[in-house]
Amino acid sequence: MKKASGFEIIAARCWNLLNEGKPFTPIFTLSVYVLYHMNAWGDGSFWEQLGLGLLAALPLFALYFYYDFPLFLRNYLWFPVIAALLLWRDTELDLGLYALGIGLFLFFTIYFWGTFYYHLRIGTSWWNFRRFWKLVLKNSDSTSGNAQEQLPKFLLLLFVVDTAGAKWAGTSAQANDFGWGSYAWFVIGAAVYAWVLHHYLFDWKPKEMAGNTVPAARPAKSTEGKVFVLVIDGMRKDRFEEANAPFLKKWRAEGAEYTQMETVYPARTVVCFSSMFTGTYPREHGITSNMVWKLGIKVESIFDSLRKIGKRGRLLGIAHLIDSMGDDVESVTAVMHNDKADRNIMERAKLIVAEQNPDLLVVQFIATDQTGHSMGALYDEYRQKIEEADALIAEFVGWLTERGDADNATFIVCADHGQADGIGGHGHLDEGERYVPFFLYGQHVRKGVKIDAKQSLVSVAPTLSYLLGAPLPSHSRGPILKDAFE
């Protein structure tokens, strides 16, 4: 299986500017405005008007970048739009501008992204748009494809850019009631409004663990074997229950299961992996979305801890993970038919074991998540990818057993996040995202145990330190999952 090329790594970062909702909003607003006024590009007064309009909109751009407006809070985004229309009701609207914005958004999300992009990248059908439009209109995640969030945002921003720019550049007599004073109060009101919403209504974000991880004595019985963390990216807990996954369900029944394992917020892949393998939260490790503005985590990871004792860990995953974990990632190309992705990843995992013999190997299986992104998590194709991952993991473990690498080894099987309905389907902890499958299996794992106490994926890194005899990562906060072991 090919590694992600340098071009793919850069392309993935560029795509995240359009994929992640926060950078998409200003990029899309500016693009729509400029395209609509193509005929005026040669007129210097147009660029003056655009500059003044963007300057006026800057506080709103910042406000929408700072606040998430997750899940039902998106419904409240329409109130500033209505307030602006009432406050400056004498302004003549250029309906063509807003129609272009809505049209381009639907074309970008439903066809260019949902069909053309996914067909070229993972081989979805050219008819994928027939399903994808539903995902765009009812999605619950934090990507640019969220119509509930993006429509009110860019419509208000287009209104401000167009109206303020025309008024203050003196190019329109229609915007005569749009003054600095009224607009300043509007911005202040919008900021207070956003703060009130998030302070009083945004109450489902998981609470952080207080203090750092408490070290624990290693068990008397040696656990010096290898550790394998098998992450089925984006696997919903309830869909795993529905899937025909005999191997993993046998492991779960014979091992130790954490029935209330919670992911972190925001539940985006790079964020979750960063928290899992540093043991702490986004505010400390610095990765707050798949769009990584400053490469590299700010704290130590489990891979750093292993190096301190002369051991080695590897993370086999897609190019996005390089942005946070750097050289500890063995990248795989994400440009392949989705039916081949997990098979190729498993073969690459075998190669890493055979050639590098790491003490810790983390494998990211991506086909389940990609199916959820492109076709939705509540369809048969998504469940089938979970079943395929089950068969591949059974094959991989059989291969490890033949080599003797499974002897004395500990296996952790989990998802980094679940998926809700809609495009991408994860980010803001909607139903199906928050709690993930999580269980351990191995010679030193307790047999047939279910732990119902709520836990967090930030416990992965300290538990790996415990198993491998490594120091805790510098900012580790999650408790060690000691009750899973003899």
Side-chain angles (χ1 to χ4, degrees), residues 2 15 29 43 55 66 69 79 83 90 118 156 179-180 185 210 218 241 255 331 345 353 380 414 457 463:
K2 294 191 301 181
W15 174 247
T29 301
D43 186 350
L55 181 64
Y66 182 77
F69 292 95
F79 286 95
D90 293 333
Y118 277 124
L156 176 60
W180 280 108
W185 282 111
R218 306 280 307 291
E241 296 297 341
S331 68
I345 287 171
V353 171
D380 288 343
C414 66
L457 286 177
T463 302

Side-chain angles (χ1 to χ4, degrees), residues 178-403:
F178 198 99
W180 280 108
S182 61
Y183 182 62
W185 282 111
F186 177 82
V187 170
I188 292 170
V192 172
Y193 176 71
W195 181 88
V196 169
L197 289 176
H198 287 75
H199 186 73
Y200 291 103
L201 298 182
F202 184 21
D203 57 3
W204 62 91
K205 186 176 179 180
K207 292 182 179 179
E208 294 186 4
M209 305 285 182
N212 293 101
T213 304
V214 177
R218 306 280 307 291
K221 198 171 182 179
S222 173
T223 58
E224 285 297 326
K226 299 178 184 300
V227 180
F228 297 90
V229 182
L230 308 174
V231 183
I232 303 177
D233 196 316
M235 179 171 63
R236 274 179 67 125
K237 194 170 169 51
D238 58 346
R239 298 292 274 157
F240 174 61
E241 296 297 341
E242 297 169 9
N244 178 24
F247 182 79
L248 291 179
K249 290 182 178 179
K250 179 176 183 291
W251 261 16
R252 182 180 65 173
E254 296 177 355
E257 178 189 10
Y258 285 83
T259 62
Q260 295 291 308
M261 182 59 72
E262 194 172 34
T263 190
V264 296
Y265 182 90
R268 303 293 287 161
T269 294
V270 184
V271 178
C272 295
F273 270 78
S274 299
S275 288
M276 288 167 69
F277 299 108
T278 63
T280 191
Y281 300 95
R283 68 174 179 81
E284 285 194 322
H285 61 60
I287 307 300
T288 58
S289 75
N290 282 354
M291 181 69 244
V292 178
W293 298 100
K294 185 176 180 181
L295 300 182
I297 50 176
K298 297 178 180 178
V299 300
E300 287 182 352
S301 70
I302 183 60
F303 306 104
D304 296 315
S305 297
L306 289 173
R307 277 189 282 272
K308 292 179 181 179
I309 59 169
K311 291 187 175 182
R312 188 179 192 191
R314 304 300 291 157
L315 195 170
L316 175 62
I318 58 174
H320 288 321
L321 298 179
I322 295 174
D323 293 351
S324 63
M325 295 294 178
D327 293 338
D328 291 314
V329 176
E330 291 275 345
S331 68
V332 297
T333 180
V335 183
M336 72 183 103
H337 198 288
N338 206 33
D339 291 342
K340 300 177 181 178
D342 283 353
R343 160 63 64 180
N344 289 342
I345 287 171
M346 190 200 70
E347 295 300 331
R348 178 73 177 281
K350 290 180 181 179
L351 190 64
I352 293 171
V353 171
E355 293 184 350
Q356 301 182 34
N357 192 31
D359 300 281
L360 166 67
L361 177 62
V362 182
V363 182
Q364 178 197 23
F365 292 94
I366 63 174
T368 299
D369 186 63
Q370 290 189 153
T371 299
H373 278 283
S374 59
M375 306 181 77
L378 303 182
Y379 294 88
D380 288 343
E381 297 95 333
Y382 178 87
R383 175 182 50 77
Q384 290 165 5
K385 290 304 173 190
I386 297 174
E387 296 170 353
E388 290 173 15
D390 174 79
L392 288 169
I393 289 173
E395 181 182 333
F396 180 54
V397 172
W399 179 83
L400 291 173
T401 303
E402 290 177 1
R403 288 174 47 88

Side-chain angles (χ1 to χ4, degrees), residues 25-137:
T25 304
I27 292 172
F28 184 76
T29 301
L30 176 61
S31 299
V32 168
Y33 193 82
V34 171
L35 284 174
Y36 185 72
H37 293 93
M38 286 180 63
N39 293 336
W41 287 3
D43 186 350
S45 63
F46 163 73
W47 297 105
E48 179 188 3
Q49 176 179 325
L50 174 60
L52 290 169
L54 291 175
L55 181 64
L58 187 60
L60 292 178
F61 281 126
L63 188 68
Y64 287 152
F65 196 90
Y66 182 77
Y67 286 109
D68 289 336
F69 292 95
L71 304 185
F72 72 89
L73 293 188
R74 290 171 176 148
N75 299 327
Y76 293 92
L77 285 168
W78 286 105
F79 286 95
V81 179
I82 296 169
L85 292 176
L86 292 175
L87 184 60
W88 297 294
R89 56 186 174 274
D90 293 333
T91 299
E92 182 177 325
L93 299 178
D94 189 346
L95 296 181
L97 175 64
Y98 308 105
L100 177 65
I102 295 171
L104 284 178
F105 176 76
L106 295 177
F107 172 80
F108 170 78
T109 52
I110 296 172
Y111 186 77
F112 180 82
W113 183 1
T115 304
F116 181 77
Y117 167 80
Y118 277 124
H119 179 80
L120 293 183
R121 197 187 124 200
I122 63 174
T124 54
S125 166
W126 281 113
W127 298 98
N128 200 44
F129 62 86
R130 293 188 299 182
R131 180 183 298 177
F132 208 76
W133 71 269
K134 293 185 290 184
L135 308 184
V136 168
L137 294 182

